Amino acid sequence: MKTRASVAVLAGLLLVLFAVYVLLGSYTVTIPDFVKIVAARLTGGDPIPGASFIVMENKLPRAVLGAMVGLAFGLSGALFQTMLRNPLASPDVIGISSGASAAAVVAIVIFGLSGAGVALFALLGALAVAVLIYSIAGGKRGKRSGSSSASGVSTKFILGGVGVAAAMQAVVNFLMTRADVRTASEVLIWLNGSLNSSSWERISILGMALIILLPAAAILAKPLRMLELGDDAAAALGVRVPASRFAVVITAVGLAAVATAATGPVSFVAFLAGPIARRITGSNSLAAAALTGALLVLAADFFAYNIAPLLLHGTALPVGVVTGALGAPFLLWLLAAPQLKRKDA
């Protein structure tokens, strides 16, 4: 009951933040004007000069894409963290985002691609790295059951991912040394994660992917809860442990890959969303983690796009810079929290 109430509150907060994002900021729009603008777009009526373009081609697609990307990253991180029973198991840490980044940099620096070409390379890079890490972890070879087997897979998955992430970062660094100044600037913008290139085309592509991946995550929620009990208990309850674990990995990687392909690697959203949602709901709620991810991205981009220029003499920040700044102190807090609890006890 508490989880459902918390999810409802998070959904309400997301709607409020979405409205604030679209209506307020560096350019404010009244509610009546917003209704007129949307109605004119849907019916082919006369637009409001200037305001219609700002709302329909900038603010609204930016908010929609930010919410969708946050949902995807938050849900991806929660799936990994719940399955591997480790808060460090997020796409940022285990190399999925690094694989996408390295592939995207290859596309930009070597092949001179942009837009959809970079997104496709990022998607393929994330999937390739996921297959490599899963092979290193021996996910499909785990014939033993029990918590020790699950723990072994978790450790191998995370350590393998950290190693692959380091290798992918080395690839990115090498390619950056070979790029000219203009190309390097383009690469840096993409690597930081940004909603500047938001468009209805990107929203439609990401939306089609989420239509498949969100129901898949909902279907996997039940076996995932059983996997939390340990492999022995899950198998006794009728769960096909290796197949379920593989399905969770594929779904989580797909979510992280399509989100990264749309905006670049928005740092630490997948890492932060699950633990924050768990503190709020008291349980591993996938819905709460997804909503928390959307809230994080929208709040961070509102600050980066509207408030940061006031503090930095007109300089707007990529959203990934703000979420990355949140990730480091949160990681330290996450590491210190268990010790603080033990001292209080």
Side-chain angles (χ1 to χ4, degrees):
M1 199 68 178
K2 178 186 175 182
T3 299
R4 291 182 180 179
S6 299
V7 169
V9 170
L10 288 171
L13 288 174
L14 179 59
L15 290 175
V16 171
L17 181 57
F18 189 92
V20 169
Y21 190 105
V22 175
L23 300 177
L24 303 180
S26 56
Y27 185 90
T28 59
V29 182
T30 64
I31 294 177
D33 281 349
F34 176 76
V35 173
K36 289 178 184 178
I37 289 168
V38 175
R41 181 63 174 263
L42 295 176
T43 61
D46 293 332
I48 301 176
S52 292
F53 179 83
I54 292 172
V55 171
M56 298 305 300
E57 302 302 329
N58 184 6
K59 300 191 77 167
L60 192 56
R62 194 180 182 104
V64 172
L65 186 64
M68 293 171 68
V69 165
L71 283 169
F73 276 127
L75 185 54
S76 175
L79 286 170
F80 274 123
Q81 289 164 344
T82 304
M83 182 193 72
L84 297 175
R85 286 177 272 178
N86 193 316
L88 293 177
S90 77
D92 314 274
V93 177
I94 62 176
I96 307 300
S97 297
S98 298
S101 298
V105 174
V106 168
I108 296 171
V109 175
I110 296 180
F111 297 103
L113 299 178
S114 61
V118 176
L120 178 60
F121 264 72
L123 180 63
L124 295 176
L127 294 174
V129 166
V131 170
L132 175 61
I133 297 170
Y134 196 75
S135 301
I136 292 172
K140 296 189 74 173
R141 299 196 302 269
K143 297 182 179 179
R144 294 184 301 134
S145 60
S147 60
S148 61
S149 176
S151 176
V153 171
S154 173
T155 301
K156 290 180 180 178
F157 208 102
I158 294 172
L159 291 179
V162 170
V164 171
M168 294 298 101
Q169 186 59 46
V171 171
V172 170
N173 292 338
F174 171 75
L175 290 173
M176 288 290 285
T177 65
R178 314 301 299 174
D180 57 59
V181 174
R182 186 187 63 81
T183 303
S185 176
E186 182 182 351
V187 169
L188 282 175
I189 293 174
W190 196 92
L191 288 176
N192 282 319
S194 174
L195 295 175
N196 289 343
S197 57
S198 301
S199 65
W200 294 111
E201 180 184 5
R202 293 198 177 207
I203 289 170
S204 62
I205 295 171
L206 181 57
M208 286 188 288
L210 293 182
I211 287 174
I212 298 171
L213 294 169
L214 292 182
I219 292 170
L220 291 169
K222 184 177 180 180
L224 190 61
R225 285 195 299 269
M226 296 179 182
L227 285 173
E228 288 185 79
L229 303 174
D231 290 1
D232 276 337
L237 292 170
V239 176
R240 298 172 59 190
V241 173
S244 296
R245 187 180 288 132
F246 182 72
V248 171
V249 169
I250 290 297
T251 303
V253 169
L255 287 164
V258 296
T260 303
T263 61
V266 183
S267 303
F268 287 121
V269 174
F271 173 68
L272 294 167
I276 293 174
R278 196 174 302 116
R279 293 281 177 173
I280 295 171
T281 64
S283 63
N284 291 325
S285 170
L286 297 181
L291 292 170
T292 302
L295 284 166
L296 285 171
V297 173
L298 281 183
D301 193 60
F302 185 83
F303 176 87
Y305 192 65
N306 296 289
I307 299 175
L310 302 177
L311 305 175
L312 302 174
H313 307 290
T315 302
L317 298 174
V319 62
V321 172
V322 179
T323 58
L326 294 174
F330 184 82
L331 176 59
L332 295 176
W333 173 81
L334 195 65
L335 293 171
Q339 297 177 8
L340 293 176
K341 285 183 178 179
R342 282 195 293 269
K343 289 180 180 178
D344 291 341

